[in-house]
Amino acid sequence: MSEGHREATRLIHAGRQGRRTVNPPVERASTVLLPDVESLYGGARAPYGRMGLGVHAELKAALCALEGGVAAELAPNGLAAVTLALASVLKAGDELLVSDSIYGPTRRFCERTLTRWGVRTRFFDPRAGARIGEHITAQTRAVMLESPGSLTFEIHDLPAILSVTRAAGLTSIIDNTWSAGVFLKPLALGVDLSVQALTKYPCGHADAFGGAVIAREAGTARSLAETAQDWGVSLGPEEAYVILRGMRTLVPRLKLHEAAGLALARHLAAHRAVARVLHPALPSHPDHALWARDFTGASGLFGVVLKPVETDRLNAALNRLELFGFGFSWGGFESLAIPCDPQLHRDCSWQDPEGPLLRIHAGMEDTADLIADLDGALDGLVHD
Ligand SMILES: *Cc1c(COP(=O)(O)O)cnc(C)c1O
């Protein structure tokens, strides 16, 4: 493949050279038969199904092409990819810096399991920029980033953070699920490991779990591969297949989610039941300039702070929605809306908003239908 091709082109062709069929065969295999007895212990790259089959190699190639990495490891879901990345860099006695708006289950892993392993976590304000240096001690080993933040959508000043953390010798990890690796290229900015929940946009159809960690250079790639091997982390071939199939259409699908998300965000920003919209591509977002500098687009996931309203009235309004589903996860073709206050845990960086916080995923239904559905629910919340 020519390096000069654009992303949509590269994602359609990545990894499939030399095969007559467009899609790879799905081998269902634990045992891999080797050509002779000498090969059992000598040389074959993946002598056992747990280490991956053809479809896994092709998915990894597509992910490396997407994120600009040298190597990738696959995991059974996004959370397992996050914990694999962290385990590949940390040891007892280390300290870890974690963005205060990190994905909730990542926070729980740090507070529960890493604490038990003798790793201390310090949470920092996602808007800290170079002030992240105030949290670095002689024990600090790594920094865990996520931009925009889960639920609250703050954007990191990545170059400012990385200039400080790299000077201090820290390994940096980012959860890049929101951008799907299309709208943000963290490895090119100097981040060491980029993690994605492939469950979201790469799969794109809400019907499979997967995760990946992509490494910028060989040293971190080696300890990542060893950690995956030691823990026996792997992804089933059927899942790898549907995620690879989803990745072929990732770029055009994201353009649809982006357009729908912006249309809904603009409409909601002008709605009388809404206090604020948390969408980094809107100029009203406090980190809009950082987003415009580092990202090339926006996915379909954003937040909405409503004006204060009692929970019963809010729930009655949301239950009037016909097209938006109530469900966790996102990144499929369908629109979703959930109240997030019960999920919100912050140590240092977020003041409780003036009203309830919703998270919206803009799917691929007709946008005018989605707007009418939101109005049908929210108009009832407006007092005259
Ligand atoms: C969903 C999600 C994950 C976890 O992915 P699963 O496949 O559900 O385990 C991790 N990080 C972010 C930002 C997510 O949205």
Side-chain angles (χ1 to χ4, degrees), residues 76-80 82 103 106 146 150 175 177-178 196-200 209-211 301 329-330 359:
N77 53 61
L79 180 57
V82 169
Y103 176 62
T106 301
E146 183 178 337
S150 270
D175 187 327
T177 301
W178 185 85
Q196 281 200 45
L198 303 176
T199 313
K200 309 290 169 54
F209 277 102
L301 191 78
S329 200
W330 44 274
R359 189 184 71 187

Side-chain angles (χ1 to χ4, degrees), residues 73-119:
E73 289 297 328
L74 302 174
N77 53 61
L79 180 57
V82 169
T83 59
L84 170 66
L86 288 167
S88 77
V89 302
L90 294 166
K91 64 177 186 324
D94 285 345
E95 289 183 4
L96 170 69
L97 303 182
V98 177
S99 171
D100 200 31
S101 52
I102 203 76
Y103 176 62
T106 301
R107 169 184 294 265
R108 189 177 58 204
F109 174 77
C110 296
E111 290 179 332
R112 199 156 60 188
T113 294
L114 288 185
T115 302
R116 186 155 53 77
W117 288 355
V119 174

